[in-house]
């Protein structure tokens, strides 16, 4: 929680101090001008600004909650980018304005005094409101990035309390702070934090489909670090750096940090310009002091009192106020009205407006019908909808969680679905309606499917439906793939035995060749990794995360032997690990027929195999010295092709054009991999020229985007 609290603590401290300085200057100016009776007007504007900021936060929260998951990602990402822009502008503005802030505020207050009470309220409202809105937006963004609100809210609260204490100390002249140095130091830290928020926002936009490249990872350390370690949570919470980041995130983070930090540091080093000429002051008030590097007293209050040095060494007692000009008469002074009316009105208006936005902005679309769902009755309230895009309010009135489908009762094609609709809840289901027959099918947990009466719709264009996949539809592909894996394990058993014999015979050259052959065979069985249980870690585990690294006793399998073969180990040193690898493969082959293989994993693995390839092999992360990561990528591609072969009839029946795009991408990726294979040797990933590496990453990312719909297309949908 505390790592999530730090960014919010810093923004609360800094923004709170900015707002507090402004309020201190407003109060000090009115007291010096003998206009203490106007202080309630200042506090009214301040309270109104606070109400506006809190209302803005509520609108953001409830607006996001009413969106779909994809839309929430896009919404949150957009606001993260806006928050970064605001924080960046605030950092640079305060660096420039710290010394002249007092004079500017006093000038505005002097004008407001002459124009009446309303202008003084507006002045304080605008002066504090900007800080409040920036704080609300940044807190909402950091809370969303943290995945919880307790830590960020505590951090912000602590920061605001400390800021209030600092402002009180500055006002009472019991505390001196070099505000120039303070805002410079906190500004530099905020730039680093904002870079992390930018990276997080870019990832949200990728997840929301606004930006491409969500599968193009620059690195993935999720298997190498402990996500629960204190240093992991600290880095994630404070800097928003994740164990896995895409290229766009890395480029955005590094680019923002390099450019903005450079400009900020250059601005700090720039010689300060001469202080501006003092503005006209109300009678009895002295001009503000702008001392280079020491804006603490002048910015916090009204400048040195009589007899006080420019350094502020002689503290001013709060009660010693010089005589001043009488308070200007306010417009409409003769009219009587309750003293509480204006403060209540200006504070209530933002809350009422926010409540209206939340109430009407998150309400169901006009005319959206409410459809009841229960274990006994499905589709109550359903009448023939109009053609076009429609929103249905699905309300579970039963006692069991239910799956809900809008189907064509004749073909069972699915036009829309909601998974896990809990009792007593209501969720939107959006579907495009065209001419045809429609019905609702509800499948309660542990219950029997219930289908509503069908309705007929006339007219309208085409509506896209998904032909449902039942578990028995995947039975034949699963049998075929299990036969492929079983045959592969038999081949692998012979290959690991040969590798062991090479090392027993002290033939390291043959061992290197046979190691690659065996490793490629294993890599081509990618879709079965989820069923191999602990055998996969023994056979193909990595050293990352192990206490002893590559020398750890638990580092076994292909990568352990690879490290030894390409780092000068003797055949005798590797004979034991090679025999252990062979024994583990034999054990896996015996266990595989009895291991559970979820048929729903087949469509899922079509995407996951190459996703891992992009994260590990194409980054060189799994290379232990052989430089053969592209050979492994080639084997992974072969495994993906085999998986697509057994699923081809199901995909072709539902999305023949998608299958054509996938096959085209596979051919292009295969061509790039073949070009890296010459005379039995593979080009190491790090030796690829920049253009080739970029093309390989690009086509892999494009193939992943085309493979992404396959799991949803072939998802097993309940019918009973």
């Amino acid at each position: 929680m505390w790592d999530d609290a730090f960014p919010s603590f810093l923004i609360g401290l800094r923004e709170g101090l900015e707002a507090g300085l402004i309020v201190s200057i407003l109060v000090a100016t009115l007291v010096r001008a003998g206009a203490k009776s106007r202080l309630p007007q200042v506090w009214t504007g301040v309270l109104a600004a606070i109400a506006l900021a809190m209302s803005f936060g509520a609108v953001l929260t409830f607006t996001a909650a009413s969106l779909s998951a994809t839309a929430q990602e896009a919404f949150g990402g957009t606001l993260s980018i806006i928050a970064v822009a605001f924080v960046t502008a605030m950092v640079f503005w305060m660096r420039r304005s710290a010394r002249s802030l007092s004079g500017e505020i006093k000038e505005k207050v002097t004008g407001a005094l002459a124009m009446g009470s309303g202008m003084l309220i507006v002045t304080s409202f605008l002066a504090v409101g900007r800080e409040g809105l920036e704080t609300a937006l940044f807190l909402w963004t950091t809370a969303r990035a943290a995945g919880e609100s307790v830590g960020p809210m505590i951090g912000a609260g602590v920061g605001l309390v400390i800021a209030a204490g600092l402002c009180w100390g500055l006002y009472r002249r019991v505390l001196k702070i070099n505000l120039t140095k303070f805002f410079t130091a906190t500004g530099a830290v905020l730039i680093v934090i904002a870079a992390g928020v930018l990276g997080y926002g870019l990832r949200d936009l990728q997840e929301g489909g606004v930006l491409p490249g969500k599968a193009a990872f620059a690195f993935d350390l999720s298997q190498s670090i402990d996500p629960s370690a204190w240093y992991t949570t600290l880095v994630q919470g404070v800097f928003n750096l994740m164990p896995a980041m895409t290229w766009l995130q890395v480029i955005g983070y590094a680019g923002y940090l390099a450019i903005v930090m450079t400009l900020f540091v250059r601005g700090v080093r720039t010689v300060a310009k001469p202080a501006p000429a003092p503005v006209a002051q109300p009678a009895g008030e002295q001009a503000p002091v702008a001392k280079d590097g020491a804006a603490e007293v002048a910015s916090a209050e009204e400048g040195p009192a009589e007899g006080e040095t420019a350094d502020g060494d002689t503290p001013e007692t709060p009660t010693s106020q010089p005589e001043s000009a009488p308070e200007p008469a306010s417009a409409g002074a003769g009219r009587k009205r309750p003293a509480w009316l204006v403060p209540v009105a200006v504070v209530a208006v933002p809350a009422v407006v926010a409540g209206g936005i939340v109430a009407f902005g998150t309400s169901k679309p006009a005319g959206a019908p409410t459809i009841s769902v229960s274990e006994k009755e499905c589709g109550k309230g359903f009448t023939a909808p109009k053609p076009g895009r429609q929103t249905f309010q699905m309300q579970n009135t039963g006692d069991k969680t239910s799956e809900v489908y809008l189907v064509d009762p004749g073909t069972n094609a699915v036009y829309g679905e909601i998974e896990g609709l809990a009792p007593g809840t209501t969720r939107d289901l959006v579907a495009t309606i065209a001419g045809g027959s429609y019905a609702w099918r509800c499948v309660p947990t542990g219950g029997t499917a219930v289908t509503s009466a069908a309705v007929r719709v006339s007219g309208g264009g085409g509506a896209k439906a998904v032909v449902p996949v039942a578990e028995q539809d995947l039975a034949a592909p699963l049998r075929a793939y299990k036969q492929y894996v079983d045959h592969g394990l038999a081949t692998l058993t012979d290959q690991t035995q040969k590798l062991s014999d090479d090392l027993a015979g002290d033939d390291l050259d043959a061992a290197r060749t046979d190691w690659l052959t065996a490793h490629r065979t294993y890599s081509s069985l990618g879709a079965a990794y989820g069923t191999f249980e602990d055998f996969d870690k023994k056979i193909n585990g990595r050293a990352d995360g192990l206490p002893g690294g590559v020398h750890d006793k638990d580092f076994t399998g292909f990568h352990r032997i690879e490290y030894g073969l390409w780092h000068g180990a003797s055949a005798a040193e590797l004979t034991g690990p090679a025999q252990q690898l062979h024994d583990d493969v034999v054990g896996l082959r015996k266990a595989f027929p009895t291991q559970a293989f979820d048929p729903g994993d087949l469509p899922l693995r079509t995407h996951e195999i190459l996703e891992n390839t992009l994260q590990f092999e194409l980054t060189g992360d799994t290379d232990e010295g052989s430089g053969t990561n592209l050979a492994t990528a080639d084997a992974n591609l072969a495994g993906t092709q085999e998986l697509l072969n057994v699923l081809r009839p199901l995909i072709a029946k539902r999305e023949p054009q998608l299958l054509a795009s996938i096959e085209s991408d596979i051919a292009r990726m295969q061509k790039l991999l073949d070009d890296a294979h010459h005379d039995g040797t593979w080009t190491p990933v790090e030796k690829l020229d920049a253009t080739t590496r970029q093309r390989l990453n690009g086509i892999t990312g494009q193939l992943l985007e085309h493979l992404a719909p396959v799991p949803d297309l072939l998802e097993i949908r309940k019918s009973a």
Side-chain angles (χ1 to χ4, degrees):
M1 181 178 70
W2 297 112
D3 47 279
D4 293 331
F6 178 74
S8 299
F9 164 76
L10 188 61
I11 198 70
L13 175 63
R14 185 185 169 99
E15 293 280 6
L17 189 56
E18 285 188 31
L21 287 174
I22 293 172
V23 173
S24 297
I25 296 169
L26 287 170
V27 172
T29 303
L30 290 176
V31 171
R32 274 296 183 120
K36 289 185 178 181
S37 61
R38 297 289 189 87
L39 290 178
Q41 297 165 13
V42 172
W43 298 120
T44 297
V46 171
L47 290 175
I50 295 173
L52 177 65
M54 297 179 68
S55 301
F56 179 56
V59 170
L60 292 179
T61 301
F62 285 101
T63 299
S66 66
L67 300 175
S68 66
T70 302
Q72 284 186 32
E73 299 290 350
F75 181 72
T78 301
L79 289 182
S80 294
I81 305 301
I82 295 174
V84 170
F86 278 156
V87 169
T88 305
M90 174 264 291
V91 166
F92 281 89
W93 177 81
M94 200 58 189
R95 190 201 66 200
R96 291 193 312 268
S97 305
R99 291 188 178 92
S100 59
L101 183 64
S102 178
E104 292 176 2
I105 294 297
K106 289 177 180 179
E107 186 176 4
K108 292 179 181 178
V109 172
T110 301
L113 282 170
M115 297 181 68
S117 60
M119 284 305 300
L120 191 56
I121 293 174
V122 171
T123 299
S124 59
F125 172 79
L126 293 178
V128 179
R130 188 193 68 174
E131 268 60 82
L133 291 175
E134 289 177 352
T135 303
L137 179 58
F138 197 82
L139 286 181
W140 186 88
T141 303
T142 53
R144 190 173 186 278
E148 55 98 12
S149 57
V150 176
M153 293 303 294
I154 290 178
V158 172
L160 290 171
V161 169
I162 294 177
L166 292 176
C167 289
W168 180 87
L170 290 169
Y171 179 78
R172 304 301 296 182
R173 293 297 182 91
V174 297
L175 180 69
K176 295 177 68 175
I177 300 175
N178 190 315
L179 294 177
T180 301
K181 292 182 178 179
F182 173 84
F183 285 117
T184 298
T186 57
V189 178
L190 271 179
I191 289 172
V192 176
I193 293 175
V197 174
L198 176 62
Y200 180 85
L202 292 175
R203 181 58 180 169
D204 273 354
L205 292 176
Q206 289 178 313
E207 294 288 347
V210 178
L211 295 176
K214 68 177 182 180
F217 286 90
F219 60 85
D220 188 346
L221 305 178
S222 55
Q223 302 297 322
S224 308
I225 60 176
D226 181 4
S228 62
W230 67 268
Y231 55 84
T232 304
T233 55
L234 180 65
V235 171
Q236 291 183 8
V238 176
F239 302 108
N240 272 313
L241 290 175
M242 300 293 112
M245 296 181 68
T246 64
W247 282 106
L248 181 60
Q249 286 181 279
V250 172
I251 292 172
Y253 181 94
Y256 172 88
L257 196 59
I259 295 173
V260 176
M261 188 65 79
T262 300
L263 294 175
F264 183 77
V265 171
R266 285 181 179 177
V268 171
R269 291 177 177 176
T270 302
V271 178
K273 296 180 180 179
V279 298
Q281 306 295 324
E285 182 181 3
Q286 298 205 7
V289 175
K291 183 164 68 76
D292 185 28
E296 62 276 3
V297 175
S299 295
E301 283 198 89
E302 70 283 347
E306 290 185 21
E308 182 182 26
T309 67
D311 292 331
D313 293 332
T314 304
E316 177 185 355
T317 58
T319 56
S320 59
Q321 301 295 343
E323 295 182 1
S324 58
E327 178 185 352
S330 59
R335 289 180 291 177
K336 296 278 187 177
R337 66 186 173 203
W340 52 265
L341 182 60
V342 173
V344 169
V346 297
V347 172
V349 166
V352 171
V353 172
I357 293 174
V358 170
F360 293 102
T362 61
S363 61
K364 67 178 183 180
T370 299
I371 312 297
S372 297
V373 174
S374 73
E375 53 269 29
K376 296 181 179 180
E377 189 175 33
C378 182
K380 184 179 179 180
F382 182 49
T383 57
K386 295 180 180 180
R389 189 173 177 84
Q390 301 293 336
T391 299
F392 303 94
Q393 294 280 312
M394 308 307 299
Q395 182 179 34
N396 190 339
T397 58
D399 299 324
K400 296 181 178 179
T401 299
S402 182
E403 312 289 315
V404 184
Y405 305 102
L406 179 62
V407 302
D408 181 336
T411 63
N412 287 324
V414 178
Y415 290 91
E417 64 183 300
I418 293 179
E419 297 182 356
L421 182 63
T425 61
T426 301
R427 285 164 59 187
D428 287 351
L429 187 150
V430 181
T432 301
I433 305 298
S437 183
Y438 296 87
W440 292 103
R441 179 165 296 151
C442 307
V443 187
T445 301
T448 304
V450 181
T451 304
S452 72
V455 299
R456 189 78 188 174
V457 176
S458 301
K464 187 176 181 180
V466 176
V467 179
V469 173
E471 189 166 339
Q472 59 266 29
D473 294 329
L474 288 169
L478 181 59
R479 282 195 301 271
Y481 194 79
K482 290 180 75 171
Q483 290 175 0
Y484 164 77
V485 173
D486 190 62
H487 177 74
L489 289 175
T491 302
L492 183 63
T493 301
D494 295 337
Q495 291 171 342
T496 54
Q497 181 62 64
K498 192 172 186 306
L499 172 62
S500 181
D501 292 342
D502 293 337
L503 291 169
D506 200 21
D507 191 345
L508 291 175
D509 289 336
R512 293 187 184 96
T513 301
D514 292 334
W515 173 89
L516 180 58
T517 301
H519 190 240
R520 280 170 53 81
T521 298
Y522 183 80
S523 299
S524 67
L525 309 178
Y529 287 171
T531 66
F532 286 172
E533 299 174 352
D534 292 338
F535 283 103
D536 181 52
K537 185 177 181 181
K538 296 176 182 177
I539 293 172
N540 205 40
R542 300 162 59 195
D544 297 341
L546 296 176
V550 294
H551 304 293
D552 196 277
K553 62 181 179 60
D554 293 327
F555 182 35
T556 62
F558 279 111
H559 291 299
R560 166 67 182 92
I561 299 170
E562 177 190 9
Y563 181 83
L565 286 172
W566 277 272
H567 285 83
S570 66
E573 292 176 295
L574 298 176
T575 299
Q579 185 59 49
Q580 181 63 50
L581 171 64
H582 175 69
D583 292 344
D584 289 335
V585 169
V586 171
L588 173 59
R589 186 186 177 192
K590 291 179 180 179
F592 178 69
T594 63
Q595 290 176 330
F597 200 138
D598 186 349
D601 284 347
L602 288 179
L604 189 63
R605 296 293 189 266
T606 58
H607 183 271
E608 288 185 343
I609 296 173
L610 290 181
E611 187 174 48
N612 288 338
T613 301
L614 186 63
Q615 296 176 32
F616 300 122
E617 275 70 41
L618 296 187
T619 60
D621 192 53
T622 54
D623 184 10
E624 293 292 354
S626 67
T628 59
N629 268 22
L630 293 183
T632 305
D634 182 72
N636 290 342
L637 183 60
T640 301
Q641 287 179 296
E642 182 63 33
L643 191 55
L644 288 169
N645 285 339
V646 300
L647 295 174
R648 182 182 302 275
L650 296 176
I651 300 175
K653 183 179 180 180
R654 291 160 176 80
E655 282 283 356
Q657 293 181 343
L658 177 63
L659 194 58
S661 298
I662 291 172
E663 290 173 342
S664 175
D665 291 342
I666 287 177
R668 292 173 59 196
M669 183 176 178
Q670 187 66 66
K671 175 66 167 57
L672 290 173
L673 291 172
D674 290 343
D675 290 343
H677 188 205
H678 306 284
D679 301 326
T681 61
W682 291 84
T683 304
V685 171
E686 63 272 14
K687 295 295 181 63
L688 292 174
D689 62 84
T691 301
T692 301
R693 190 167 184 177
Q694 185 177 18
R695 289 177 60 197
L696 183 56
N697 287 332
I699 187 57
T700 306
Q702 181 176 314
L703 175 54
L704 282 170
E705 289 185 11
H706 284 144
L707 288 170
V710 173
D712 184 62
L713 194 67
L714 302 185
E715 178 185 357
I716 297 175
R717 289 173 167 85
K718 299 177 182 178
S719 59

